[in-house]
Amino acid sequence: MKGQWDEMVKNSRNGTFLHERGYMDYHSDRFTDCSLVALRDGKMCGLLPANIDGDTLWSHRGLTYGGWIVPLKHFDTTVMVEVMDAAIAWMQGNGLKKFVYKAVPHIYHRYPCEEDLYALFRHGSSLIETNISTTIDLTCPLPLDRGNKSGSNAARKAGIKTGQSDDWEGYWELLSSLLGERYSTRPVHTLEEIKLLVGRFPENIKLYTATLDGELLAGVVMYYSQPVAHCQYIGASPRGKDSKALTLLFDNLIKKSAEDGYRYFDFGISNEDHGRYLNEGLVRQKCRLGGRGIAYQVFDIKW
């Protein structure tokens, strides 16, 4: 059903390229897929990217978000309630005890699409996790604060250049070094995985870097899904930080995203420990670039 699945994602109100099988299946060795398809009169009317682990069905744990993906037409709240009822009846009939649901944040909706939140309420769901992302509304963006504006201008005058890059190896080496030193971790995607995904989605996943005299100073991996331009991996070398290379890169990316017709520029979440820990310094940095809070929420239903 891959072709039908992907076609519905592309024509849905709230699906992104992350929900296409080519993205979901790149890490199929880590998760036992248990995605659901809702059929009405034999035709697809809803998709739920999901995996199963023990007695729990999860909104796919390999994705940042991904509740029910639904069509633009012929799907209202009454249909969503029927779909959720049928899905939970299927789970109960197959021995599952819990359903963990990651709603698609509203900034990714191409048209209003929160019927699922009502259906969750009807089943007595509990909010178990909230992460806060920082997002710019590109239709009426707040300006960079004085310090960032000055830093961007200084980096530009120093001759720092920004633009799209194919140097995935160089940036992954820099990013891995930074994450290892600061958090004793590595990027979620290996270099081989990110290059595989770029090959499958070249228009959606792009690397932008800031350089000076050929030296890589900073970079951002952008995930593009209308209406959102989303930052996936952000990094800067010590020299890049001192020279405000990342500030210039963000300044140019924000402007470019607006020119390319995106509605939102999303810096990503600033949380750890399932939302309980807030990196206050990081969220302040993003807010000084013009962003404000958007919630990424997770619910569960038990029976």
Side-chain angles (χ1 to χ4, degrees):
M1 299 177 75
K2 178 182 183 298
Q4 292 173 273
W5 176 289
D6 289 350
E7 188 65 21
M8 183 165 175
V9 169
K10 292 173 183 176
N11 293 319
S12 69
R13 273 188 274 161
N14 59 337
T16 72
F17 76 94
L18 276 72
H19 302 124
E20 293 183 34
R21 300 307 311 189
Y23 192 96
M24 290 178 57
D25 293 343
Y26 88 88
H27 46 24
S28 58
D29 58 318
R30 300 181 208 170
F31 303 98
T32 302
D33 192 283
C34 192
S35 299
L36 302 185
V37 175
L39 300 173
R40 192 181 194 188
D41 299 326
K43 297 180 180 179
M44 278 187 178
C45 69
L47 308 173
L48 180 70
N51 71 281
I52 192 169
D53 186 4
D55 62 2
T56 301
L57 187 75
W58 298 79
S59 269
H60 206 292
R61 299 177 82 183
L63 303 177
T64 308
Y65 50 84
W68 280 104
I69 308 303
V70 302
L72 177 64
K73 297 181 179 180
H74 311 301
F75 193 102
D76 59 20
T77 304
T78 64
V79 180
M80 183 73 257
V81 169
E82 290 181 35
V83 166
M84 194 72 82
D85 289 350
I88 291 176
W90 179 88
M91 295 176 214
Q92 293 171 336
N94 283 273
L96 297 173
K97 302 296 184 183
K98 186 169 72 170
F99 178 32
V100 180
Y101 188 92
K102 293 189 285 191
V104 178
H106 77 266
I107 56 173
Y108 290 93
H109 299 173
R110 290 186 287 279
Y111 205 76
C113 192
E114 295 188 346
E115 294 89 347
D116 58 338
L117 301 184
Y118 175 72
L120 288 170
F121 164 74
R122 287 271 295 251
H123 281 276
S125 66
S126 300
L127 177 63
I128 60 171
E129 181 176 334
T130 298
N131 293 290
I132 196 73
S133 189
T134 308
T135 305
I136 297 172
D137 185 340
L138 295 173
T139 66
C140 52
L142 295 172
L144 276 62
D145 71 356
R146 184 178 300 176
N148 279 304
K149 186 174 182 180
S150 175
S152 178
N153 289 335
R156 188 176 291 107
K157 290 178 181 177
I160 293 174
K161 304 297 183 183
T162 69
Q164 188 175 349
S165 172
D166 291 322
D167 185 16
W168 290 95
E169 290 82 0
Y171 184 60
W172 235 242
E173 182 178 348
L174 172 62
L175 186 66
S176 299
S177 175
L178 293 171
L179 291 174
E181 292 173 6
R182 189 175 305 173
Y183 303 110
S184 299
T185 61
R186 297 184 64 81
V188 173
H189 298 93
T190 65
L191 174 61
E192 292 72 23
E193 286 172 341
I194 196 68
K195 291 178 72 174
L196 171 68
L197 291 172
V198 170
R200 291 179 179 178
F201 300 98
E203 298 304 313
N204 300 102
I205 306 175
K206 298 180 181 181
L207 171 64
Y208 293 88
T209 59
T211 61
L212 181 62
D213 299 327
E215 180 183 351
L216 176 59
L217 300 179
V220 178
V221 177
M222 295 299 300
Y223 272 31
Y224 290 108
S225 297
Q226 280 290 359
V228 182
H230 172 77
C231 305
Q232 187 71 13
Y233 288 108
I234 302 168
S237 69
R239 187 183 181 194
K241 290 181 180 179
D242 291 342
S243 64
K244 306 301 180 183
L246 191 56
T247 304
L248 175 62
L249 181 56
F250 274 134
D251 191 8
N252 290 343
L253 282 172
I254 292 165
K255 292 173 182 174
K256 181 182 186 305
S257 297
E259 292 169 358
D260 289 345
Y262 290 91
R263 170 73 188 272
Y264 298 104
F265 188 92
D266 186 37
F267 289 101
I269 65 171
S270 302
N271 301 98
E272 298 174 30
D273 191 22
H274 303 285
R276 295 179 182 87
Y277 172 75
L278 175 66
N279 187 327
E280 296 180 2
L282 183 59
V283 80
R284 289 192 187 105
Q285 290 176 24
K286 295 173 181 177
C287 285
R288 287 197 289 267
L289 290 165
R292 295 297 184 267
I294 293 291
Y296 283 48
Q297 296 183 310
V298 184
F299 303 83
D300 76 358
I301 302 172
K302 301 176 184 176
W303 49 84

